[in-house]
């Protein structure tokens, strides 16, 4: 009687295919970058569910417009009704404060309405890079202290 081994060509092929899918899912932003897509813009799609990100636009569906956010004091974007905690936070949006904010907004400002978190360091950097590049003149003014 011939014994069947669990490790045969069929199983090996299935294992390789499963690993390839897992790696593609885990590193989707890098794969998109390699395919010519901007991973920051793709990841920022989650932000667009609530925020606008366009010059002169009002607030989004549930959150303020993020255009010109670099150098702006938290709780001051026109047209959005911020929580008292956010208005009193004293935060000025820089790459450092936005990175910390995206990691865990509730830890930074208890009482904020934002409940979305982006714990992945690389994904946050992609998003911040996209935001910098989309509004480069505003970003440059902010880092020069001209806002």
């Amino acid at each position: 009687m011939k014994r069947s081994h669990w490790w045969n060509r069929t199983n090996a092929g299935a294992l390789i295919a499963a690993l390839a899918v897992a790696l593609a899912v885990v590193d989707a932003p890098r794969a998109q970058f390699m395919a010519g897509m901007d991973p920051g813009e793709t990841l920022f799609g989650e932000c667009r569910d609530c925020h606008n990100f366009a010059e002169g636009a009002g607030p989004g569906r549930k959150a303020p417009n993020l255009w010109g956010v670099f150098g702006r004091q938290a709780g001051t974007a026109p047209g959005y009704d911020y929580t008292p905690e956010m208005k009193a936070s004293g935060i000025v949006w820089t790459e450092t404060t936005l990175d910390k904010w995206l990691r865990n907004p509730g830890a930074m400002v208890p009482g904020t309405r934002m409940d979305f978190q982006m714990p992945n360091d690389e994904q946050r950097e992609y998003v911040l890079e996209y935001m910098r590049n989309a509004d480069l003149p505003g970003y440059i003014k902010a880092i020069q202290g001209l806002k």
Side-chain angles (χ1 to χ4, degrees):
M1 180 168 152
K2 188 175 182 180
R3 292 183 112 189
S4 171
H5 292 280
W6 69 272
W7 185 257
N8 57 37
R9 284 186 185 182
T10 303
N11 288 339
L15 178 62
I16 290 169
L19 285 172
V21 168
L23 288 172
V25 169
V26 168
D27 204 14
R30 188 179 313 273
Q32 291 168 346
F33 178 76
M34 298 304 286
M37 298 170 65
D38 181 346
E41 184 174 10
T42 302
L43 290 163
F44 192 82
E46 293 184 56
C47 306
R48 287 187 195 276
D49 288 346
C50 298
H51 293 273
N52 274 336
F53 188 56
E55 188 172 10
R61 198 170 52 83
K62 293 171 41 178
N65 185 357
L66 295 176
W67 190 263
V69 71
F70 289 103
R72 184 167 68 205
Q73 184 167 342
T76 63
Y80 184 72
D81 183 29
Y82 289 92
T83 64
E85 294 85 354
M86 195 61 157
K87 288 179 185 178
S89 70
I91 296 168
V92 173
W93 295 121
T94 64
E95 288 182 69
T96 302
T97 56
L98 283 166
D99 183 66
K100 185 177 177 183
W101 175 257
L102 289 171
R103 178 185 294 275
N104 188 347
M108 194 168 171
V109 180
T112 183
R113 289 188 195 111
M114 184 162 158
D115 59 0
F116 176 82
Q117 295 180 14
M118 186 174 281
N120 182 288
D121 294 340
E122 188 175 34
Q123 289 180 347
R124 286 194 316 278
E125 179 52 37
Y126 281 134
V127 167
L128 292 172
E129 181 179 23
Y130 168 72
M131 292 174 69
R132 284 190 307 265
N133 291 336
D135 181 20
L136 194 54
Y139 173 71
I140 291 169
K141 285 181 184 177
I143 62 172
Q144 292 175 341
L146 301 175
K147 242 183 190 186

